[in-house]
């Protein structure tokens, strides 16, 4: 888009037009997804739906929404470049909008409200567990405020409506929320991590107070860091204090309550030969990401015992003659493909099953080594079912590269670097299978001359 020489007013009007077109495109996508929910079938329907693994019609939305094919999420996710979980939430929100919030759905089509804002409203109502009638009542009440309130006040008004809609259900949600408290840790780059927790409000207030007091005490001792940084240090000190002296509050109520329990943590660090030789550079820590070698030393510095595992050469192609997959081959495949081998999946391969790309055929010569790294890929159960049924077709032209074709004929290439829409040219490559015996090829039978 060439904006050279445009006046401020022309640019402002162009921006408004771009915003309108963006809303229109998002509304069109939502309406197309809604239509797909009505007609999509990944298979021809000839298979018995009662058979295990067959395509099923399932309910993904809240009360009042129709059933859809359980394979629809596998088609929409790669098409829109999103994970299965994100695509599933999109389908769920669209169904909830169309069938539980007709006024809001109409406002989306008329470009009076952005799709993302409408999805948030529909999702909040659905997550509250409200019935179809309650959702319809809230839809009628909240829609007049869509173009009057910014998103923050709008969602606060919505939360009040949700509580008033069913106070008994609101109390049940509060009890359920207390049972679903958690602490989760996400490792970022640069040697820091993000901690996300849901705790009782009283505990949160106590933690906030303790961290503030600890930071204040540190400042009085002459520490020069900012308050936020000192609160972070104090948060880590809480964990170290417990590791050094476990408290009775969480220790087992037995004669061994005060005994130190050995703690073992396993981390896997991938370091290149050049990094080891130079003594500096970047290593990859599984579950954490890239780290400078000095940061790796800091992580390992407090370990009393370090075990060195044998180096796994991903250029090898280990194989066996059995259907069962040994741990050494499973580890090889998971290192080669750390993420599920399905388009735009974000699922950790360690949580997936290993699938034989070319189906294992019992009774074949043992020398065929059908269970080998170059014929295996990490797939989740639903993706595995879709492939087995023939809804999706899959080949693996080179070890760790997966070529997929969807039921609607769309193609994707997946490798350890991510997903490419359309099949890219993959040069044939002989797998490193020198150690794996192969069947001896038969000599051609000479033809007799007439």
């Amino acid at each position: 888009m060439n904006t050279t020489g445009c006046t401020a007013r022309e640019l402002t009007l162009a921006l408004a037009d771009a915003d309108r077109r963006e809303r229109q495109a998002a509304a069109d996508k939502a309406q197309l997804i809604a239509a797909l929910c009505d007609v999509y079938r990944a298979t021809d329907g000839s298979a018995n739906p009662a058979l295990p693994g067959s395509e099923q019609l399932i309910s993904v939305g809240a009360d009042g929404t129709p059933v859809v094919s359980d394979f629809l999420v596998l088609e929409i996710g790669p098409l829109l470049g999103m994970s299965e979980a994100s695509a599933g939430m999109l389908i769920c929100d669209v169904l909830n909008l169309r069938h539980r919030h007709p006024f809001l759905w109409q406002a989306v089509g008329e470009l009076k409200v952005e799709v993302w804002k409408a999805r948030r409203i529909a999702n909040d109502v659905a997550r509250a567990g409200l019935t179809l009638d309650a959702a319809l009542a809230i839809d009628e009440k909240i829609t007049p405020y869509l173009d009057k309130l910014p998103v923050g006040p709008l969602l606060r008004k919505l939360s009040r409506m949700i509580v008033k809609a069913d106070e008994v259900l609101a109390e049940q949600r509060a009890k359920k929320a207390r049972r679903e408290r958690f602490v989760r840790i996400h490792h970022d780059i640069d040697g820091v991590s993000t901690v996300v927790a849901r705790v009782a409000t009283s505990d949160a207030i106590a933690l906030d107070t303790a961290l503030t007091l600890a930071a204040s005490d540190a400042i009085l001792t002459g520490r020069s860091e900012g308050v936020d940084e000192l609160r972070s240090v104090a948060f880590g000190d809480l964990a170290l204090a417990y590791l050094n002296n476990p408290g009775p509050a969480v220790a087992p109520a037995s004669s061994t309550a005060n005994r130190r329990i050995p703690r073992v943590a396993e981390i896997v660090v991938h370091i290149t030969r050049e990094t080891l030789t130079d003594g500096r550079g970047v290593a990859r820590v599984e579950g954490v990401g890239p780290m400078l070698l000095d940061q790796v030393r800091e992580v390992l510095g407090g370990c009393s015992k370090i075990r060195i595992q044998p180096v796994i050469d991903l250029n090898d192609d280990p194989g066996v003659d059995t259907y069962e997959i040994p741990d050494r081959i499973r580890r090889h495949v998971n290192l080669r493909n750390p993420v599920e081998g399905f388009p735009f999946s974000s699922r950790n391969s360690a949580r997936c099953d290993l699938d034989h790309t070319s189906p294992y055929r019992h009774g074949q010569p043992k020398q065929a080594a059908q269970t080998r790294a170059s014929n295996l890929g990490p797939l989740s159960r639903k993706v595995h079912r879709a492939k087995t049924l023939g809804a999706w077709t899959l080949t693996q032209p080179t070890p760790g590269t997966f070529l997929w074709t969807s039921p609607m004929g769309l193609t994707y290439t997946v490798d350890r670097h991510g997903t490419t829409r359309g099949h890219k040219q993959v040069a044939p490559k002989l797998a490193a299978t020198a150690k794996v015996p192969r069947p001896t090829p038969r000599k051609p039978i000479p033809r007799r001359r007439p």
Side-chain angles (χ1 to χ4, degrees):
M1 180 178 182
N2 185 10
T3 59
T4 304
C6 292
T7 66
R9 175 171 172 75
E10 290 171 339
L11 292 172
T12 302
L13 294 176
L15 178 60
D17 182 63
D19 178 67
R20 183 198 61 77
R21 287 186 282 110
E22 183 180 29
R23 290 192 184 200
Q24 184 67 65
D28 290 345
K29 285 172 61 176
Q31 290 171 350
L32 289 169
I33 291 171
L36 264 175
C37 290
D38 297 334
V39 302
Y40 183 88
R41 299 294 181 270
T43 55
D44 58 10
S46 59
N48 185 351
L51 293 176
S54 297
E55 181 178 17
Q56 303 290 329
L57 295 179
I58 62 172
S59 178
V60 298
D63 178 41
T65 60
V67 294
V68 299
S69 166
D70 63 339
F71 288 158
L72 175 60
V73 65
L74 299 181
E75 187 81 53
I76 288 181
L79 174 64
L80 300 182
M82 58 178 60
S83 67
E84 179 184 336
S86 297
M89 184 57 67
L90 175 59
I91 295 170
C92 175
D93 290 346
V94 167
L95 287 173
N96 288 336
L97 274 172
R98 184 175 65 166
H99 296 278
R100 290 164 52 91
H101 299 270
F103 291 109
L104 192 54
W105 180 249
Q106 182 178 353
V108 167
E110 295 174 351
L111 309 186
K112 293 180 179 179
V113 61
E114 301 94 323
V115 171
W116 67 266
K117 189 183 296 184
R119 286 183 60 189
R120 174 63 188 272
I121 294 172
N123 181 260
D124 284 1
V125 174
R127 287 178 59 227
L130 296 180
T131 64
L132 173 61
D133 289 340
L136 291 171
I138 288 180
D139 178 54
E140 188 174 1
K141 294 177 182 177
I142 196 70
T143 301
Y145 295 97
L146 293 177
D147 56 354
K148 295 180 180 180
L149 295 176
V151 64
L154 180 67
L155 294 178
R156 286 193 291 271
K157 180 176 286 292
L158 175 67
S159 64
R160 290 193 294 271
M161 292 181 180
I162 289 174
V163 172
K164 290 181 179 180
D166 193 328
E167 295 185 9
V168 174
L169 189 58
E171 177 60 27
Q172 294 175 355
R173 288 196 303 272
K175 293 180 180 179
K176 182 174 182 289
R178 286 192 288 272
R179 294 193 302 268
E180 295 177 345
R181 289 171 287 183
F182 63 83
V183 177
R184 297 183 184 133
I185 299 175
H186 173 72
H187 298 297
D188 306 318
I189 61 175
D190 300 328
V192 296
S193 301
T194 300
V195 180
V196 179
R198 177 181 295 161
V199 300
T201 301
S202 57
D203 293 339
I205 293 173
L207 177 62
D208 184 46
T209 302
L211 296 180
T212 299
L213 290 174
S216 300
D217 291 343
I219 291 174
L220 292 176
T221 63
R223 296 283 291 269
S224 59
E225 299 95 326
V227 173
D228 285 341
E229 186 176 355
L230 290 173
R231 282 168 58 90
S232 175
V233 173
F235 189 65
D237 289 342
L238 292 175
L240 293 176
Y242 176 76
L243 289 175
N244 293 327
N245 185 23
V250 292
S254 66
S255 59
T256 61
N258 295 322
R259 187 175 64 187
R260 284 293 301 273
I261 302 174
R263 286 168 170 78
V264 178
E266 177 179 330
I267 62 173
V268 180
V269 182
H270 302 273
I271 303 178
T272 64
R273 183 183 291 107
E274 293 77 10
T275 300
L276 285 174
T277 302
D278 298 340
R280 57 182 302 175
V282 179
R284 181 171 64 86
V285 180
E286 281 192 23
V288 177
M291 298 182 71
L292 295 174
L293 205 55
D294 287 341
Q295 294 172 329
V296 175
R297 293 191 185 99
E298 182 180 343
V299 171
L300 299 178
C303 299
S304 59
K305 183 178 180 181
I306 298 176
R307 181 175 62 180
I308 306 298
Q309 294 277 31
V311 174
I312 297 178
D313 188 350
L314 297 182
N315 292 317
D316 290 342
D317 189 25
V320 292
D321 301 327
T322 61
Y323 178 79
E324 292 74 19
I325 304 169
D327 289 341
R328 62 184 178 86
I329 296 181
R330 183 178 301 276
R331 185 173 180 82
H332 180 106
V333 174
N334 288 340
L335 288 173
R336 185 193 68 193
N337 295 98
V339 179
E340 180 185 15
F342 187 73
F344 294 104
S345 176
S346 59
R347 191 175 281 112
N348 190 318
S349 63
R351 302 191 184 114
C352 297
D353 297 328
L354 292 191
D355 165 70
H356 290 79
T357 305
S358 295
Y360 188 92
R361 299 186 182 279
H362 295 274
Q364 293 292 309
K366 289 187 175 181
Q367 291 82 2
Q370 298 179 72
T371 300
R372 61 185 186 277
S374 59
N375 191 41
L376 294 171
L379 299 181
S380 59
R381 295 291 173 88
K382 182 180 292 185
V383 173
H384 194 172
R385 285 173 46 224
K387 168 184 173 287
T388 303
L389 286 173
W392 285 76
T393 59
L394 171 65
T395 60
Q396 188 176 176
T398 62
T401 299
F402 305 98
L403 305 186
W404 291 91
T405 302
S406 83
M408 299 297 106
L410 304 179
T411 58
Y412 307 89
T413 299
V414 182
D415 57 26
R416 62 179 289 106
H417 303 295
T419 302
T420 303
R421 290 184 175 91
H423 286 342
K424 63 181 180 181
Q425 296 297 320
V426 180
K429 178 182 178 182
L430 295 177
T433 56
K435 299 180 182 178
V436 181
R438 301 291 185 189
T440 304
R442 296 180 179 179
K443 295 182 180 180
I445 301 176
R447 296 182 179 178
R448 293 184 179 179
R449 295 182 178 179

